[in-house]
Amino acid sequence: MFKVLSGSWALLLGMMMLQVGNGMQGTLLGVRGALEGFSTFQMSIVMSSYFLGFLAGSRMAPEMIRRVGHVRVFAALGSLISAVLIMYPTIADPWAWAVGRVMIGFCFSGVYVTAESWLNNSATNETRGKSLSLYMIVQMIGIVSAQGIMVMADPAGYVLFVIPSVLVSLAFAPILLSVSPTPAFDTTKPLSLRQIMNISPLGCVGMFLTGGVFAAQFGMAAVYGAEVGLSVAQISSFVAAFYVGAVFVQYPLGWLSDRMDRRKLIAGVSVMTGIGALIGMVFGANFWMLLVAAFLVGGTSNPLYSLLIAYTNDFLEHDDMAAAAGGMVFINGLGAIAGPLLVGWMMGAMGPGGYFLYMAVLMFMLVGYAIYRMTQRAAPSVSETDSYTPVSFSSSPMAVEFAQDYAIETAQEAQTD
């Protein structure tokens, strides 16, 4: 672990600061939108726009890096993020915010591609697993820390918009001034979506549905909190509970994943997510039960991303795993774009309870499909499956390829032993 930190501390510190900025802007816009009188539907468009930009960025960033290099892409996108964050409070219009969110999503996707290729380049076979774990942990720490900063000033003012802008600007200093060499950049040509669907129908359907659930957590949690009348401090705690749950539950589920039929675990985890969502819907008037629901939903739904990738890998040749990464992230992104729009519609039609009902419906749909797929083919032997590796749902295809490399190396070492 010390070896990983000594070689990547600047990158990890910078990424944590970036996640503080990213985590703040999502929650802050949800709160500020309510203060400005924006409707739930308008806020759903604003929140969905981030994922549209993120998806576009994940496709275009590799070509940008090839043309002008890591450093220029990193610096340019970082400057744009900082500028957009400052502009939000000056143009209190939902359509202007939506455009800003598209730009923010695009830029963060490009930043992640750049940073993750740097991290992959600095890792060795011995440190790759720890690098992935640390990367995911600092991302979660950044998002959770952002919620604590929310109570430091009035969301109706400018200060809370200035803070993430400054943090994003500062985040690039340790990265760009570090001595780490610029890596060579190359990505694998992805498999087509049809090919991936034929290989793992459950993996594809699951990634689409979980994309919708992640978007509800990341984009609409603050909107829900404002709708039910939570204070800023309560909204911050509610949003943080999703990510605290993800940190605590990720690794126990990963351990189980390598020791049982992953389809059964996918179905079981989805049931728990659905139950957590129903708890939030029924007992949402009690703030403490709301935190329990958020912890359970976040803790069980977030690991599904890595679990579905690991399950899909079970049916791929090692050489095709990295190629499938881009397609899986793209499918997840499509679900994430649709997620806030559907949540906004349900909240408008049914009231705030539609927020949790939406997540419950998606997760029980995944349960049903996982059970159906169990009747269609036998599960691969546990001894023949690759290792589970934790990946954050906010990561780019580069991080997923990075995780695929680690899974392949771990499997090959196990076969050698």
Side-chain angles (χ1 to χ4, degrees), residues 381-404:
S381 170
V382 173
S383 61
E384 298 175 354
T385 59
D386 286 318
S387 297
Y388 171 99
T389 50
V391 186
S392 169
F393 73 90
S394 61
S395 299
S396 76
M398 279 301 302
V400 181
E401 289 188 24
F402 185 11
Q404 312 291 47

Side-chain angles (χ1 to χ4, degrees), residues 233-312:
Q234 288 175 325
I235 290 174
S236 299
S237 299
F238 173 60
V239 175
F242 285 107
Y243 300 100
V244 172
V247 172
F248 277 92
V249 181
Q250 179 88 238
Y251 292 95
L253 287 182
W255 183 86
L256 281 173
S257 168
D258 292 339
R259 289 162 176 80
M260 63 180 293
D261 183 346
R262 285 183 170 135
R263 294 173 302 182
K264 294 180 180 178
L265 187 58
I266 289 169
V269 170
S270 300
V271 167
M272 294 304 297
T273 306
I275 290 173
L278 292 178
I279 290 173
M281 185 178 71
V282 176
F283 301 104
N286 183 309
F287 176 65
W288 296 106
M289 291 301 293
L290 200 59
L291 293 183
V292 170
F295 182 93
L296 186 56
V297 169
T300 52
S301 64
N302 279 275
L304 276 173
Y305 185 82
S306 302
L307 190 56
L308 289 162
I309 291 174
Y311 173 73
T312 302

Side-chain angles (χ1 to χ4, degrees), residues 18 28 201 227 275 303:
L18 281 168
L28 182 55
E227 284 283 315
I275 290 173

Side-chain angles (χ1 to χ4, degrees), residues 80 106 186 190 207 268 296-297 326 366 378:
L80 190 55
F106 180 91
D186 190 28
M207 288 297 272
L296 186 56
V297 169
L366 181 53

